[in-house]
Amino acid sequence: MGSLSRDDASAHWANHDLGEVVVSAKEISDRVAELGRQITLDYADRPPLLVCVLKGAVNFMGDLMRCIELPVEIDFMAVSSYGAATKTSGVVRIVKDLDLDLTNRDVLIVEDVVDSGLTLNYLRQYLGARSPRTLEVCALLLKEGEQRVVQSLRYVGFTIPAHFVVGYGLDVNEKYRNLDAIVTYVGGA
Ligand code: IMP
Ligand code: MG
């Protein structure tokens, strides 16, 4: 948990909607580098296929893959919970599916945030049915105490309090994905 850094505070155009900095840009980049080092070690003999869950994980994916020193492959899928509410409905719609075949691949799902866990639960079943050799999850954020389904998360960047946050890929009504830090959202819904 950090205070406003110069970079974070420079988002003057968003300040009226933003509260506390939950994870600063520096904390993110340090932790992403650590995760990359760990993944490099764990997957040394079997470079993973990284599956980015759009759109929220796009910043994380871009930074994380540059911290992995292996010949990884990447693919993207887009899912959306119905509606624009700040709570998930648990009903997931596949908006864009993968291009690559998962058969016998070591697949690592790169996700922005696990809140109820319903989205990830759905994705694991959906991708697990395609015969990957292994299927693991790297989530940037895990919301404390919010999970409604049990998840085994191989990698977690940060465990955060159960507040709605934006920035570093996370949005509210498609905005604020371009903030460098992860910040609580205090604007009107
Ligand atoms: P879950 O299904 O409840 O785990 O929610 C997962 C999805 O809801 C995430 O992948 C995000 O797209 C979205 N989400 C959950 N919490 C937040 C948040 O605090 N800010 C922005 N999006 C969120
Ligand atoms: Mg997401």
Side-chain angles (χ1 to χ4, degrees):
M1 314 286 148
S3 55
L4 277 176
S5 77
R6 214 146 57 92
D7 284 353
D8 303 332
S10 69
H12 56 83
W13 48 270
N15 276 348
H16 60 285
D17 277 342
L18 305 182
E20 302 264 293
V21 173
V22 178
V23 192
S24 71
K26 172 78 167 75
E27 289 168 321
I28 294 170
S29 65
D30 289 352
R31 183 71 183 123
V32 170
E34 271 175 22
L35 290 170
R37 277 194 293 276
Q38 191 60 52
I39 292 167
T40 302
L41 293 173
D42 294 348
Y43 286 87
D45 51 354
R46 46 183 184 114
L49 168 59
L50 305 177
V51 171
C52 173
V53 185
L54 294 171
K55 302 173 190 170
V58 73
N59 307 41
F60 183 37
M61 176 76 155
D63 288 341
L64 180 67
M65 69 180 184
R66 286 179 287 183
C67 295
I68 301 174
E69 296 182 45
L70 297 170
V72 298
E73 291 170 52
I74 65 168
D75 205 348
F76 296 86
M77 77 185 288
V79 302
S80 130
S81 292
Y82 283 103
T86 55
K87 274 283 164 194
T88 186
S89 62
V91 181
V92 176
R93 187 163 54 99
I94 304 291
V95 178
K96 180 214 172 295
D97 209 331
L98 298 174
D99 298 327
L100 302 179
D101 185 7
L102 301 190
T103 310
N104 284 325
R105 299 303 310 267
D106 292 289
V107 176
L108 184 57
I109 301 175
V110 178
E111 175 62 303
D112 54 358
V113 53
V114 178
D115 186 7
S116 70
L118 293 169
T119 304
L120 196 56
N121 195 45
Y122 179 89
L123 269 181
R124 287 186 83 124
Q125 287 175 17
Y126 187 75
L127 299 180
R130 297 184 188 176
S131 314
R133 201 165 79 83
T134 60
L135 180 61
E136 301 285 356
V137 176
C138 179
L140 179 66
L141 305 173
L142 175 65
K143 291 230 188 133
E144 222 160 37
E146 288 294 284
Q147 285 71 57
R148 283 159 58 189
V149 283
V150 179
Q151 299 285 345
S152 85
L153 304 173
R154 179 81 182 265
Y155 308 97
V156 173
F158 302 91
T159 299
I160 62 166
H163 299 135
F164 196 81
V165 292
V166 296
Y168 197 66
L170 287 96
D171 73 309
V172 61
N173 296 333
E174 299 298 332
K175 289 207 297 270
Y176 301 142
R177 295 190 196 276
N178 57 326
L179 295 172
D180 278 345
I182 293 164
V183 184
T184 56
Y185 175 75
V186 296

